[in-house]
């Protein structure tokens, strides 16, 4: 059940602190675009939304929070991005937004807070939607650490819907070229984005897990997919079986590197646009579509000779069966439509010769 929690104290602040409603400089009904970068030391993703300073993009936080204010009740601040036609930034836009002053224990150097993206009455996307008269919808493409074919590793976020074109733009609007769509659900009142899964497969073989439907969360603030023990153990067992089978004779186990439990000699692993040639993992979603994790999103290069399966064991309990972390989301375009309560996603963009770094951030003439 979709159940975002309103933040009444902050809403009250917005009404009392401003002499006019919480709207500001308009982007003329156009979505706003921001560049997304990955911080090497924290693996967090940021966008320059506060006076050119970064805010952490957090899919599980329902509010904007700043480290630069001190009021216990929150504040009204000015945020900024660029209006976009989906191909380029068009012109700068500033707008007023309600923020909390909750200190953030973990933000990258230079970052001044968090842009909460989870559905709520005071999230960053809903405040963009209100002030800019656009849809409460996010197109989010998280970049990887590595250099892309365009020479950088900057991803893109469009707030307010689409379209979204990558270079070259004649390939079309990628928000309409989704590999799958699936309903979004709530989970025990927790903020964030959750989907239902019928199970997990390795090399098209279903992993045996107890129980029925699985709840899967999305997170941009945990680096790797965290899997509940009752799912993690059989998943690892199935991956071992596939990796030691005849289809993957090049997979040679080496000493594990924390926090991972399965590591391999990467000098022996063949590579392609899909990443390392390793067993494919599919998260089988409600409605029959799969979110596919290929080698490019499953194997973490921990040193020059070692790559590890980028899944970790979560704590036992009533947590979601898995929370898909940033590494597994990278170089997929995610379309999070809060109004329709729907998640859409593309295939792994590297597989078609693109990446999240293929958006053209040159200001349109």
């Amino acid at each position: 059940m979709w159940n975002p929690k309103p933040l009444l104290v902050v809403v009250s602040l917005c009404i009392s602190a401003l002499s006019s409603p919480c709207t500001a400089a308009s982007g003329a009904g156009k979505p706003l675009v921001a560049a997304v970068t990955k911080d090497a030391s924290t693996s967090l993703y940021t966008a320059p939304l506060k006076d050119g300073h970064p805010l952490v993009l957090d899919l599980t936080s329902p509010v904007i929070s700043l480290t630069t204010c001190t009021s216990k009740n929150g504040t009204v601040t000015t945020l900024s991005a660029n209006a976009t036609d989906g191909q380029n930034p068009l012109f700068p836009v500033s707008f007023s937004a309600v923020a909390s002053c909750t200190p953030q224990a973990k933000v990258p150097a230079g970052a001044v807070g968090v842009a909460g993206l989870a559905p709520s009455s005071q999230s960053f996307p809903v405040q963009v939607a209100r002030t800019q008269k656009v849809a409460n919808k996010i197109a989010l493409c998280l970049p990887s650490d590595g250099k892309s074919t365009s020479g950088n590793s900057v991803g893109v976020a469009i707030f307010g819907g689409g379209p979204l074109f990558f270079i070259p733009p004649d390939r079309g609007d990628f928000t309409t070229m989704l590999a799958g769509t699936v309903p979004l659900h709530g989970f025990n009142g927790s903020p964030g984005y959750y989907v239902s899964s019928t199970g997990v497969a390795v090399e098209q073989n279903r992993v045996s897990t107890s129980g029925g439907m699985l709840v899967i969360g999305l997170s941009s603030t945990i680096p790797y997919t965290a899997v509940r023990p009752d799912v993690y153990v059989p998943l690892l067992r199935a991956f071992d079986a596939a990796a030691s089978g005849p289809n993957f004779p090049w997979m040679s186990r080496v000493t594990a590197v924390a926090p991972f439990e399965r590591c391999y000699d990467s000098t022996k692993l063949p590579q392609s646009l899909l990443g390392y040639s390793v067993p494919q993992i599919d998260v089988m979603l409600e409605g029959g579509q799969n979110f596919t994790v290929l080698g490019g999103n499953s194997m973490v290069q921990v040193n020059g000779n070692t790559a590890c399966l980028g899944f970790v064991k979560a704590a036992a309990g009533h947590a979601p069966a898995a929370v898909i972390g940033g590494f597994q989301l990278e170089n997929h375009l995610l379309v999070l439509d809060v109004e329709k309560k729907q998640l859409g996603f593309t295939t792994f963009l590297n597989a078609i010769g693109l990446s999240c770094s293929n958006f053209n951030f040159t200001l349109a003439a």
Side-chain angles (χ1 to χ4, degrees), residues 7 37 49 54 61 65 106 123 134 137 154 157 169 175 227 313 323:
L7 297 169
T37 57
L49 300 170
S61 172
S65 57
K106 184 182 179 183
S123 69
V134 293
K137 185 176 180 180
V154 176
T175 66
V227 186
K313 186 188 295 184
V323 177

Side-chain angles (χ1 to χ4, degrees), residues 260-337:
F260 309 113
E261 294 191 33
R262 293 295 183 272
C263 297
Y264 301 87
D265 182 348
S266 61
T267 66
K268 298 178 180 178
L269 299 177
Q271 279 189 285
S272 70
L273 290 175
L274 308 181
Y276 286 127
S277 180
V278 298
Q280 173 179 312
I281 298 172
D282 287 299
V283 180
M284 300 179 290
L285 299 172
E286 177 183 4
Q289 297 163 15
N290 293 342
F291 182 83
T292 298
V293 182
L294 302 166
N297 277 131
S298 67
M299 302 303 292
V300 180
Q301 193 74 45
V302 296
N303 60 47
N305 299 317
T306 306
C308 301
L309 181 65
F311 290 69
V312 298
K313 186 188 295 184
H318 298 291
V323 177
I324 301 178
F327 186 79
Q328 279 72 39
L329 296 177
E330 289 174 357
N331 291 315
H332 290 268
L333 174 63
L334 306 178
V335 179
L336 296 151
D337 192 327

Side-chain angles (χ1 to χ4, degrees), residues 14 19 31 57 95 121-122 187 212 268 284 324 339 355:
C14 183
S19 58
L57 300 179
F95 60 97
S121 62
Q122 295 301 312
F187 177 70
K268 298 178 180 178
M284 300 179 290
I324 301 178
E339 294 169 2
S355 77

Side-chain angles (χ1 to χ4, degrees), residues 45 217-220 222-226 323-330:
Y45 306 91
L218 306 179
S219 176
S220 54
I222 66 168
Y224 309 109
T225 295
V323 177
I324 301 178
F327 186 79
Q328 279 72 39
L329 296 177
E330 289 174 357

Side-chain angles (χ1 to χ4, degrees), residues 64-208:
I64 301 165
S65 57
L66 301 176
T67 61
T68 54
C69 62
T70 57
S71 169
K72 293 182 180 180
N73 293 323
T75 189
V76 177
T77 190
T78 300
L79 301 179
S80 59
N82 284 291
T84 185
D85 58 2
Q87 294 192 51
N88 299 86
L90 300 176
F91 50 86
V93 174
S94 297
F95 60 97
S96 294
V98 178
S100 75
C101 298
T102 306
Q104 298 295 320
K106 184 182 179 183
V107 296
V112 295
V114 171
L117 306 184
S120 82
S121 62
Q122 295 301 312
S123 69
F124 181 85
V126 79
Q127 296 198 64
V128 170
R130 276 202 297 261
T131 59
Q132 308 306 308
K133 312 303 182 191
V134 293
N136 187 3
K137 185 176 180 180
I138 312 167
L140 180 64
C141 207
L142 298 177
S144 63
D145 289 321
K147 298 295 183 182
S148 74
T149 55
S150 59
N152 58 41
S153 53
V154 176
V156 59
I158 293 183
F159 303 97
L164 192 156
F165 297 87
F166 291 113
I167 302 170
D170 58 8
R171 299 183 81 153
D173 173 15
F174 272 75
T175 66
T176 67
M177 293 185 282
L178 302 174
T181 58
V182 63
L184 288 164
H185 300 285
F187 177 70
N188 293 345
S190 299
Y193 296 93
Y194 301 91
V195 297
S196 292
S197 167
T198 58
V200 182
V202 177
E203 284 296 293
Q204 288 79 54
N205 295 312
R206 178 184 284 270
V207 175
S208 178

